[in-house]
Short mmCIF file of all heavy atoms in Angstrom, two decimals:
data_model
loop_
_atom_site.label_atom_id
_atom_site.label_comp_id
_atom_site.label_asym_id
_atom_site.label_seq_id
_atom_site.Cartn_x
_atom_site.Cartn_y
_atom_site.Cartn_z
N ALA O 1 9.41 14.74 5.73
CA ALA O 1 9.78 13.93 4.62
C ALA O 1 9.61 12.41 4.88
O ALA O 1 9.13 11.74 4.07
CB ALA O 1 11.15 14.22 4.07
N ASP O 2 10.17 11.95 6.14
CA ASP O 2 10.01 10.66 6.50
C ASP O 2 8.52 10.29 6.81
O ASP O 2 8.17 9.14 6.27
CB ASP O 2 10.78 10.45 7.88
CG ASP O 2 12.35 10.39 7.62
OD1 ASP O 2 12.76 10.44 6.48
OD2 ASP O 2 13.06 10.45 8.77
N ALA O 3 7.68 11.17 7.36
CA ALA O 3 6.24 10.79 7.55
C ALA O 3 5.62 10.66 6.14
O ALA O 3 4.79 9.95 5.91
CB ALA O 3 5.59 11.90 8.30
N HIS O 4 5.93 11.52 5.19
CA HIS O 4 5.38 11.60 3.86
C HIS O 4 5.73 10.22 3.11
O HIS O 4 4.97 9.59 2.58
CB HIS O 4 5.89 12.85 3.00
CG HIS O 4 5.31 12.89 1.68
ND1 HIS O 4 3.91 13.11 1.49
CD2 HIS O 4 5.79 12.63 0.36
CE1 HIS O 4 3.74 13.16 0.14
NE2 HIS O 4 4.86 12.74 -0.53
N ALA O 5 7.05 9.94 3.11
CA ALA O 5 7.46 8.62 2.61
C ALA O 5 6.72 7.41 3.32
O ALA O 5 6.33 6.52 2.54
CB ALA O 5 9.03 8.45 2.87
N LEU O 6 6.69 7.45 4.64
CA LEU O 6 5.95 6.45 5.32
C LEU O 6 4.51 6.31 4.83
O LEU O 6 4.05 5.20 4.59
CB LEU O 6 6.07 6.56 6.81
CG LEU O 6 5.39 5.50 7.68
CD1 LEU O 6 5.94 4.09 7.34
CD2 LEU O 6 5.40 5.77 9.12
N GLY O 7 3.86 7.47 4.70
CA GLY O 7 2.43 7.54 4.19
C GLY O 7 2.33 6.97 2.79
O GLY O 7 1.39 6.25 2.56
N GLU O 8 3.27 7.32 1.90
CA GLU O 8 3.35 6.77 0.62
C GLU O 8 3.48 5.21 0.64
O GLU O 8 2.76 4.55 -0.14
CB GLU O 8 4.39 7.43 -0.26
CG GLU O 8 3.95 8.86 -0.62
CD GLU O 8 4.96 9.56 -1.56
OE1 GLU O 8 6.17 8.87 -1.67
OE2 GLU O 8 4.71 10.60 -2.16
N THR O 9 4.37 4.76 1.38
CA THR O 9 4.57 3.28 1.54
C THR O 9 3.36 2.59 2.14
O THR O 9 3.04 1.66 1.62
CB THR O 9 5.81 3.09 2.54
OG1 THR O 9 6.95 3.70 2.09
CG2 THR O 9 6.00 1.65 2.62
N LEU O 10 2.71 3.21 3.08
CA LEU O 10 1.47 2.59 3.60
C LEU O 10 0.35 2.51 2.55
O LEU O 10 -0.38 1.58 2.44
CB LEU O 10 0.98 3.38 4.77
CG LEU O 10 1.84 3.20 6.17
CD1 LEU O 10 1.29 4.14 7.27
CD2 LEU O 10 1.83 1.70 6.51
N VAL O 11 0.24 3.60 1.75
CA VAL O 11 -0.88 3.64 0.63
C VAL O 11 -0.57 2.59 -0.32
O VAL O 11 -1.44 1.89 -0.82
CB VAL O 11 -0.83 5.04 0.15
CG1 VAL O 11 -1.64 5.04 -1.16
CG2 VAL O 11 -1.56 5.99 1.11
N GLU O 12 0.72 2.52 -0.77
CA GLU O 12 1.17 1.67 -1.67
C GLU O 12 0.92 0.08 -1.14
O GLU O 12 0.39 -0.81 -1.88
CB GLU O 12 2.62 1.67 -2.06
CG GLU O 12 2.96 2.79 -2.85
CD GLU O 12 4.43 3.14 -3.17
OE1 GLU O 12 5.26 2.17 -2.89
OE2 GLU O 12 4.80 4.11 -3.62
N GLY O 13 1.23 -0.08 0.05
CA GLY O 13 1.00 -1.44 0.67
C GLY O 13 -0.52 -1.73 0.81
O GLY O 13 -0.92 -2.92 0.47
N ALA O 14 -1.34 -0.70 1.08
CA ALA O 14 -2.77 -0.95 1.21
C ALA O 14 -3.31 -1.23 -0.25
O ALA O 14 -4.18 -2.12 -0.42
CB ALA O 14 -3.56 0.31 1.75
N ASN O 15 -2.80 -0.44 -1.27
CA ASN O 15 -3.32 -0.73 -2.59
C ASN O 15 -2.90 -2.19 -3.16
O ASN O 15 -3.76 -2.77 -3.69
CB ASN O 15 -2.70 0.33 -3.56
CG ASN O 15 -3.32 1.70 -3.51
OD1 ASN O 15 -4.45 1.80 -2.91
ND2 ASN O 15 -2.68 2.67 -3.84
N ASP O 16 -1.63 -2.55 -2.80
CA ASP O 16 -1.23 -3.94 -3.13
C ASP O 16 -2.08 -5.00 -2.45
O ASP O 16 -2.39 -5.90 -3.07
CB ASP O 16 0.35 -4.23 -2.81
CG ASP O 16 1.22 -3.19 -3.57
OD1 ASP O 16 0.77 -2.87 -4.66
OD2 ASP O 16 2.42 -3.12 -3.28
N LEU O 17 -2.32 -4.70 -1.16
CA LEU O 17 -3.23 -5.61 -0.40
C LEU O 17 -4.51 -5.76 -1.06
O LEU O 17 -5.10 -6.83 -1.10
CB LEU O 17 -3.18 -5.20 1.18
CG LEU O 17 -4.00 -6.18 2.01
CD1 LEU O 17 -3.44 -7.67 2.05
CD2 LEU O 17 -4.06 -5.56 3.38
N ALA O 18 -5.10 -4.53 -1.35
CA ALA O 18 -6.50 -4.59 -1.91
C ALA O 18 -6.55 -5.27 -3.18
O ALA O 18 -7.40 -6.07 -3.51
CB ALA O 18 -6.94 -3.10 -2.10
N ALA O 19 -5.46 -5.10 -4.11
CA ALA O 19 -5.29 -5.82 -5.32
C ALA O 19 -5.18 -7.28 -5.22
O ALA O 19 -5.90 -8.08 -5.82
CB ALA O 19 -4.09 -5.21 -6.07
N GLU O 20 -4.56 -7.74 -4.10
CA GLU O 20 -4.27 -9.13 -3.81
C GLU O 20 -5.57 -9.75 -3.35
O GLU O 20 -6.03 -10.79 -3.86
CB GLU O 20 -3.24 -9.36 -2.84
CG GLU O 20 -2.95 -10.87 -2.45
CD GLU O 20 -2.35 -11.65 -3.56
OE1 GLU O 20 -1.77 -11.03 -4.37
OE2 GLU O 20 -2.49 -12.81 -3.55
N VAL O 21 -6.19 -8.96 -2.44
CA VAL O 21 -7.67 -9.55 -1.97
C VAL O 21 -8.65 -9.59 -3.09
O VAL O 21 -9.26 -10.64 -3.20
CB VAL O 21 -8.08 -8.60 -0.82
CG1 VAL O 21 -9.58 -8.84 -0.51
CG2 VAL O 21 -7.22 -8.73 0.46
N THR O 22 -8.63 -8.70 -4.00
CA THR O 22 -9.47 -8.61 -5.13
C THR O 22 -9.15 -9.83 -6.04
O THR O 22 -10.19 -10.55 -6.41
CB THR O 22 -9.45 -7.33 -5.96
OG1 THR O 22 -9.67 -6.28 -5.06
CG2 THR O 22 -10.43 -7.36 -7.13
N THR O 23 -7.99 -10.17 -6.26
CA THR O 23 -7.72 -11.22 -7.18
C THR O 23 -7.98 -12.52 -6.42
O THR O 23 -8.53 -13.38 -7.13
CB THR O 23 -6.03 -11.24 -7.33
OG1 THR O 23 -5.71 -10.04 -8.01
CG2 THR O 23 -5.63 -12.40 -8.13
N ARG O 24 -7.72 -12.69 -5.15
CA ARG O 24 -8.18 -13.86 -4.38
C ARG O 24 -9.66 -14.13 -4.45
O ARG O 24 -10.13 -15.25 -4.56
CB ARG O 24 -7.59 -13.99 -3.10
CG ARG O 24 -6.07 -14.13 -3.11
CD ARG O 24 -5.46 -14.40 -1.81
NE ARG O 24 -4.02 -14.63 -2.05
CZ ARG O 24 -3.24 -15.04 -1.17
NH1 ARG O 24 -3.74 -15.27 0.07
NH2 ARG O 24 -2.02 -15.14 -1.23
#
């Protein structure tokens, strides 16, 4: 469960980073 939550957090962080990079 912790690994799954960490994976989701990493995916969300990567998506947020990609969106920020795209915007910039």
Side-chain angles (χ1 to χ4, degrees):
D2 288 349
H4 181 69
L6 179 60
E8 286 179 351
T9 301
L10 288 174
V11 167
E12 288 174 13
N15 288 339
D16 291 346
L17 180 61
E20 180 67 24
V21 166
T22 300
T23 300
R24 288 191 182 190

